[in-house]
Amino acid sequence: MSLQTSSEIDIIKAATSKIDQVDFEKLTFGSVFTDHMLVCDFRNGAWEKPVIKPYEPFVLDPSAKVFHYGQAIFEGMKAYKTEDNSVWLFRPEENHLRMNKSAVRMCMPEVPESIFIDGLKELIRLDEAWVKNGKGNTLYIRPFMIAIGSGVIAQPSTQYRFCIILSPAKAYYSGDVKVLIADYYSRAANGGIGAAKAAGNYSGQFYPTQLAHNAGFQQIIWTDDATHTKLEECGTMNVFFRINDTLYTAPTSDRILDGITRKSLIDLAKREGINVDVRPVLVDELVEAAKNGSLKEIFGAGTAAVVNPIVGFQYKDEYFELPKLEKSYATDLKEKLTNIQYKLAEDTFGWTVKI
Amino acid sequence: MSLQTSSEIDIIKAATSKIDQVDFEKLTFGSVFTDHMLVCDFRNGAWEKPVIKPYEPFVLDPSAKVFHYGQAIFEGMKAYKTEDNSVWLFRPEENHLRMNKSAVRMCMPEVPESIFIDGLKELIRLDEAWVKNGKGNTLYIRPFMIAIGSGVIAQPSTQYRFCIILSPAKAYYSGDVKVLIADYYSRAANGGIGAAKAAGNYSGQFYPTQLAHNAGFQQIIWTDDATHTKLEECGTMNVFFRINDTLYTAPTSDRILDGITRKSLIDLAKREGINVDVRPVLVDELVEAAKNGSLKEIFGAGTAAVVNPIVGFQYKDEYFELPKLEKSYATDLKEKLTNIQYKLAEDTFGWTVKI
Ligand SMILES: Cc1ncc(COP(=O)(O)O)c(C=O)c1O
Ligand SMILES: Cc1ncc(COP(=O)(O)O)c(C=O)c1O
């Protein structure tokens, strides 16, 4: 679809701020939003002028395609405030690129940089007071696009809404995470939409994840749907396995999301001299390694939790406990990555972008 | 989830009707809606009282889970008006049952009969003037449910909206339909959500279908995602193949929607003495049958088009034309099924339900 890039953004400021009503020490992830949002509609083959305005409800026809056909994509990213009160983004161009890849797969228009990146920066400048400094405090950023055209016929919409909302967040801690390895349910098909951050991928996981919860597990390690032999993702995160001193993670594919945390951790680990092997990892290998003691760690990797260490996994009827390590790769890599994000360590990769 | 069934429905009538603005001879499928809709919200673990009210937009928080995680399901059914101006539904209990199966798979609350069936009947009574009589005129019915709870965290919502909207429609005619057999893209995973009428399944098809359009094909015949050797669905329809005088269609599975048209056609065909074989149908078989002349027909089956004959198919680089038949099963079965729906033939199956 053709893109009309606009170099300007309309800004309508909120009359009052809600910030005083928020207890920043008691935040539930993704539930509190800042004073403003960015909205930009796509109509007649072009993006309209983006507008930053007070956070407010959407008014949509009941036949809007997002409600019926799930034509919707999103991104997840964070802003960090340093000791000197400057605000930084982490590899935002990667989220922009991935949003547009998702858009192509879901038959939606790509979002130009002037709206995604410049719009985001402008929005954060306006709501900067909502980003608290100190490691562990972040502003979670949710760019998303929905099909707002009406009509209950299963065809791509001609009208879309791109929107960015912001939610202050504390460091994500989920307690001990035990995982179940999927041997029946799956999250993505070959030739499907698993590699896109498409809305439908996520609700499809709810039911199997609830079954896992009921059985005492916090997350599922998804396997390939055809054979259930390859370890692919962990909940809504990419997943790493440490066997002896090598880190393994699956290559991305059309079933696996190309996570930005994943690729950053791979680069960081390599820089630390850790051996990283990107190749399909088999359930059998994992079970074997758990049995012979060479399996040291499993962890999820994603923007929300950064690194999410796993304490044990169940496959079919057998539960395997992971060792408790003094020096774990998970802890070390998380520390190194967040230090870069909070500008507490030199960013030799050029990943951080000042707002 | 626990269900609170309500035996009553609030009705708020529209002050004026839009019906005079509608040209019933020129209807685009799914684009015009009647004066009223039924809305029923689920909150605090129970369904609230359903209300029938003037068709109007939804007002939803930008963080509503339907926008981010695609937690949304729908149904598609039709009402028919006979010569004596009575209005009939076709196997509505099947749609209700399937909606609730979809709900379970998508971690959503089941909708009680008092809301789905009784609510639908009440709604249609109110908008009865929108159902025109005469074969070919129908009222397309779209029950759907969306997650309206807010919060950008990938977890099931605690709040839902069930809604029914109605759209008058003419007989669906799509011209000559040529199909492409999928050898890369797919619509459903093993252990995925393909058997649910979940929103995300449909937008996932848009891009491959657009590629097919660009290559001159109206639809895709989906194959199993693991091997692309089994013929599963055609666009958003089930699919039948006639080889010599036997009708073949794939068994339903967790990748295939259990279509009500499909199962009705199977019963009808059997009653007509046609040999029906429900078993996996292979791409190779189809190509072979096309080559040796035993392939007589392919047709899609679904509520919107009822029966959708296909004139030819392409597999990889080869295009196969189907014969033009004097007496086709597709035409005959469509005639027989619509005669039952319009009460022009005796309904020996007990499929029709008077409103
Ligand atoms: C399915 C899935 N896998 C992996 C990730 C991790 O990606 P990222 O590191 O870019 O947040 C995400 C998003 O958070 C995801 O939704
Ligand atoms: C994927 C899919 N297959 C098949 C069908 C046909 O089902 P039915 O005959 O119940 O309309 C539908 C719905 O129309 C569908 O969405």
Side-chain angles (χ1 to χ4, degrees), chain B residues 98 187 197 202 233 236-238 257 259-262 301-303:
Chain B
R98 190 171 62 188
R187 72 171 286 280
K197 264 185 100 75
Y202 296 82
E233 298 215 48
T236 60
M237 294 180 290
N238 295 111
L257 194 83
I260 296 157
T261 314
R262 171 186 173 280
T303 294

Side-chain angles (χ1 to χ4, degrees), chain A residues 84-291:
Chain A
D84 68 354
N85 287 322
S86 59
V87 180
W88 298 76
L89 296 170
F90 184 74
R91 311 185 77 175
E93 70 288 352
E94 291 284 339
N95 293 94
H96 178 222
L97 211 71
R98 189 170 65 187
M99 179 101 183
N100 284 345
K101 277 192 193 158
S102 300
V104 169
R105 182 60 183 86
M106 299 307 287
C107 251
M108 301 169 88
E110 294 175 64
V111 184
E113 188 179 329
S114 60
I115 298 172
F116 190 103
I117 299 285
D118 301 346
L120 172 57
K121 287 182 179 172
E122 202 60 42
L123 177 64
I124 293 181
R125 264 179 222 123
L126 203 60
D127 281 340
E128 210 186 304
W130 292 79
V131 204
K132 299 299 174 188
N133 68 18
K135 212 169 166 176
N137 294 316
T138 57
L139 186 71
Y140 180 75
I141 300 162
R142 172 57 60 95
F144 64 107
M145 196 199 312
I146 58 174
I148 58 172
S150 56
V152 291
I153 184 160
Q155 284 170 358
S157 180
T158 55
Q159 293 172 26
Y160 297 91
R161 174 164 299 163
F162 172 71
C163 179
I164 308 177
I165 54 180
L166 307 173
S167 177
K170 294 294 284 181
Y172 197 95
Y173 178 69
S174 42
D176 274 2
V177 175
K178 292 180 189 174
V179 297
L180 196 60
I181 296 185
D183 58 3
Y184 174 71
Y185 289 105
S186 18
R187 70 171 288 281
N190 297 295
I193 59 173
K197 262 184 101 76
N201 289 331
Y202 296 82
S203 47
Q205 298 188 208
F206 290 169
Y207 179 69
T209 304
Q210 191 156 80
L211 295 181
H213 283 178
N214 296 347
F217 300 93
Q218 285 68 47
Q219 265 156 33
I220 292 177
I221 294 192
W222 299 104
T223 49
D224 67 298
D225 80 301
T227 66
H228 294 294
T229 57
K230 295 177 200 153
L231 299 157
E232 308 223 300
E233 297 215 49
C234 178
T236 60
M237 294 180 288
N238 295 110
V239 61
F240 286 84
F241 307 91
R242 174 180 170 191
I243 299 178
N244 290 322
D245 287 340
T246 299
L247 266 185
Y248 296 89
T249 190
T252 57
S253 72
D254 61 2
R255 292 186 309 265
I256 299 182
L257 194 83
D258 188 1
I260 296 158
T261 314
R262 172 186 172 279
K263 68 174 106 178
S264 304
L265 290 177
I266 292 174
D267 288 349
L268 263 180
K270 284 182 177 166
R271 193 189 67 183
E272 296 301 300
I274 296 171
N275 194 22
V276 182
D277 199 352
V278 177
R279 64 150 173 88
V281 186
L282 303 179
V283 179
D284 281 353
E285 277 184 272
L286 191 73
V287 169
E288 177 65 24
K291 284 184 177 163

